Amino acid sequence: MTNNDGNSPGIDWDGELTALMESSGIDPAQLARRSLAQRVGRWIIKARAAIGAIVVTIPAMWLIDASGAPVAATVPLTVWLAGWIGYGIWVSAARPDTATLAYYLKDLATATYRAGSRQVFERSRPARVRWRAWRAARPAQATA
């Protein structure tokens, strides 16, 4: 372990972890990262509720949309089916509590806002250039 006599350089975390693994019956020399196929397989198994919801509801949404029924009749059903997709994603995410959901939704909202504002800023450049040229061409007005 460590000692607190002031002469020690600190905790040897690698040594401590190795000792803990060996005491638990884990051989550190045998550890290796899983292959890509194994990692993808694990991800698919974890996401099977979301995948199932998508596989079932998307064709149903297409059928509803192609049915020719009035929008007032199809939108509630389509929204309900989208809710089932959301429920499948929630189940696949191990049913996180509201604090965890709020944290990830905040990150998603922030990323969406930043991407949207960047896109708007890029698209509005010609208008900003014209506005600056118009301002520069106006005679300077004296402010009182």
Side-chain angles (χ1 to χ4, degrees):
M1 281 292 260
T2 61
N3 58 23
N4 294 324
D5 62 2
N7 296 326
S8 130
I11 298 173
D12 177 20
W13 291 108
D14 291 335
E16 294 292 330
L17 180 60
T18 303
L20 178 64
M21 288 171 41
E22 288 171 351
S23 68
S24 300
I26 301 170
D27 183 14
Q30 298 296 322
L31 294 179
R33 185 174 180 166
R34 296 184 187 274
S35 70
L36 179 62
Q38 288 174 325
R39 286 182 278 151
V40 169
R42 287 266 175 122
W43 182 84
I44 289 172
I45 289 170
K46 287 181 189 176
R48 68 181 178 264
I51 293 169
I54 291 169
V55 165
V56 170
T57 56
I58 294 296
M61 289 178 176
W62 282 331
L63 286 172
I64 292 166
D65 188 45
S67 69
V71 173
T74 60
V75 168
L77 184 56
T78 306
V79 169
W80 180 72
L81 288 171
W84 276 106
I85 293 174
Y87 178 72
I89 292 169
W90 180 71
V91 169
S92 293
R95 295 178 171 89
D97 61 357
T98 53
T100 306
L101 282 176
Y103 175 79
Y104 287 112
L105 286 175
K106 175 196 66 95
D107 284 351
L108 178 65
T110 302
T112 304
Y113 171 76
R114 288 180 178 161
S117 63
R118 274 193 304 270
Q119 185 175 16
V120 168
F121 186 77
E122 289 170 2
R123 301 295 187 275
S124 65
R125 186 175 186 285
R128 287 181 283 126
V129 168
R130 285 193 303 272
W131 181 74
R132 287 187 188 122
W134 177 77
R135 291 279 311 252
R138 283 183 24 196
Q141 295 178 349
T143 58

